[in-house]
């Protein structure tokens, strides 16, 4: 059902189900995953080897390995692939069943309930979910952290933009008389705009020179905390630098444009 292939040996059969007097399942065969087989039987076939419950010399190795499957996740993406042993479980307790269907989940869930009700109305069916839904629950914390981090990043960019605009507007006001004198002496408005924009680009270069190495250094920490996040993503890094550059230029262009339109006569009388 989960499309996990059997690499060696066979699958379970109904003949593998053995029960004691209390109708509890007694496993006599097992299937292991490839990581288990390579760890305990390196370079050898695991088929025909025996396992047992417990530990110590008195443990009975009465469970035969009859198959080896491909590796798959069990606890979640963060934990990765682990060594696994599968046994046939035909006990009297509750069970989790997997069903593969092409029917949408909103229509498949009622259909499954009806099928079970037709077989035995006393069997409760609960906690139905899709594999995608289970994965969403597993990654809920990681996605929440990612969303919060993205929100804080947007907020930090907005605050940096406002701060840069305020700094450049303050610089223009402080240099109003100087810029007016330059215009009165024949400086072109484009020259004044370029003069202010050079300061913006200088601040941008200093910020990137400090921020980029710090971001690269923290990349490994972030990748260890969030599933699926690489330590260094060139595309994201280039896009981020381009965005910060665009925002900085836009924040500095307005004060620079305002500086180029200063009336020289008013600027000379400005105190």
């Amino acid at each position: 059902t989960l499309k996990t292939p059997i690499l060696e040996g066979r699958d379970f059969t109904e003949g593998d189900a053995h029960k004691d007097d209390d109708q509890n399942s007694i496993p006599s065969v097992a299937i292991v995953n490839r990581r288990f087989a390579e760890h305990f039987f390196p370079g050898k076939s695991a088929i025909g080897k025996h396992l047992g419950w417990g530990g110590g010399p008195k443990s009975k190795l009465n469970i035969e390995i009859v198959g080896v499957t491909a590796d798959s996740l069990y606890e979640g993406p963060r934990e990765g692939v682990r060594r696994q042993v599968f046994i046939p479980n035909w006990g009297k307790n509750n069970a989790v069943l997997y069903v593969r269907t092409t029917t949408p989940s909103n229509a498949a869930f009622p259909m499954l309930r009806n099928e079970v009700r037709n077989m035995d109305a006393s069997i409760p069916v609960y906690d139905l979910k899709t594999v995608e839904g289970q994965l969403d629950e597993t990654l809920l914390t990681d996605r929440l952290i990612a969303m919060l981090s993205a929100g804080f990043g947007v907020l930090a960019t907005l605050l940096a933009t406002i701060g840069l605009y305020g700094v450049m507007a303050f610089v223009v006001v402080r240099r109003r008389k100087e810029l007016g004198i330059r215009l009165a002496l024949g400086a072109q408005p484009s020259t004044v705009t370029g003069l202010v924009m050079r300061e913006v680009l200088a601040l941008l270069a200093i910020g990137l020179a400090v921020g980029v190495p710090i971001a690269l250094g923290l990349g490994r920490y972030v990748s260890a905390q969030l599933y699926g996040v690489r330590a260094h993503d060139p595309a994201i890094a280039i896009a981020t630098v381009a965005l910060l550059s665009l925002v900085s230029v836009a924040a500095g262009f307005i004060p620079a444009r305002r500086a180029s339109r200063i009336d020289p006569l008013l600027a000379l009388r400005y105190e």
Side-chain angles (χ1 to χ4, degrees):
T1 304
L2 295 177
K3 299 297 184 180
T4 303
I6 295 180
L7 304 179
E8 188 179 3
R10 64 174 178 85
D11 196 356
F12 295 129
T13 64
E14 293 186 3
D16 296 327
H18 301 283
K19 299 180 180 181
D20 58 15
D21 295 337
D22 296 328
Q23 296 300 307
N24 293 319
S25 178
I26 303 176
S28 60
V29 295
I31 297 175
V32 300
N33 66 345
R34 179 167 56 183
R35 175 160 294 189
F36 183 98
E38 293 177 349
H39 178 80
F40 290 102
F41 313 106
K44 300 178 182 179
S45 174
I47 302 299
K49 303 297 190 298
H50 287 78
L51 307 173
W53 293 106
K58 295 183 179 180
S59 299
K60 296 181 179 180
L61 304 179
N62 54 0
I63 302 177
E64 181 183 356
I65 299 177
V66 296
V68 178
T69 69
D71 293 333
S72 60
L73 295 176
Y74 176 71
E75 293 184 347
R78 183 189 293 275
E79 288 74 14
V81 177
R82 298 189 177 184
R83 298 189 295 271
Q84 293 178 275
V85 177
F86 305 93
I87 59 174
N89 183 12
W90 304 96
K92 60 182 180 180
N93 297 324
N94 61 346
V96 177
L97 301 179
Y98 290 86
V99 178
R100 176 176 290 275
T101 175
T102 57
T103 306
S105 58
N106 56 353
F109 289 167
M111 180 180 65
L112 294 175
R113 293 182 185 274
N114 292 332
E115 290 294 330
V116 175
R117 188 180 299 111
N118 293 334
M119 291 186 294
D120 190 340
S122 64
I123 298 179
V125 179
Y126 56 92
D127 200 16
L128 292 174
K129 64 181 66 175
T130 62
V131 174
E132 290 79 6
Q134 180 66 40
L135 186 60
D136 290 339
E137 293 180 8
T138 303
L139 298 178
L140 178 62
T141 302
D142 301 83
R143 290 176 175 172
L144 179 61
I145 294 176
M147 292 176 60
L148 290 175
S149 301
F152 287 136
V154 172
L155 179 61
T157 302
L158 179 61
L159 292 177
T161 303
I162 296 175
L164 181 61
Y165 175 83
V167 170
M168 297 314 302
F170 178 74
V171 169
V172 169
V173 172
R174 291 292 302 271
R175 298 178 60 182
R176 186 173 183 179
K177 187 172 184 179
E178 172 201 342
L179 298 177
I181 293 175
R182 291 178 181 273
L183 292 172
L185 293 178
Q188 297 296 322
S190 59
T191 304
V192 175
T193 302
L195 184 66
V196 177
M197 288 301 297
R198 278 198 295 271
E199 295 189 9
V200 175
L201 296 178
L203 291 175
L204 174 62
I206 294 174
L208 292 178
V210 174
V212 170
I214 294 177
L216 293 177
L218 293 176
R220 296 184 180 276
Y221 173 76
V222 173
S223 63
Q225 297 298 315
L226 298 177
Y227 169 72
V229 177
R230 292 182 293 177
H232 305 298
D233 192 331
I236 295 297
I238 294 174
T240 302
V241 172
L243 176 62
L244 292 177
S245 301
L246 180 62
V247 169
S248 301
V249 171
F253 180 76
I254 297 177
R257 185 69 174 173
R258 185 178 300 173
S260 67
R261 296 179 178 180
I262 293 177
D263 187 344
L265 295 179
L266 294 177
L268 292 175
R269 293 199 302 266
Y270 178 77
E271 293 293 335

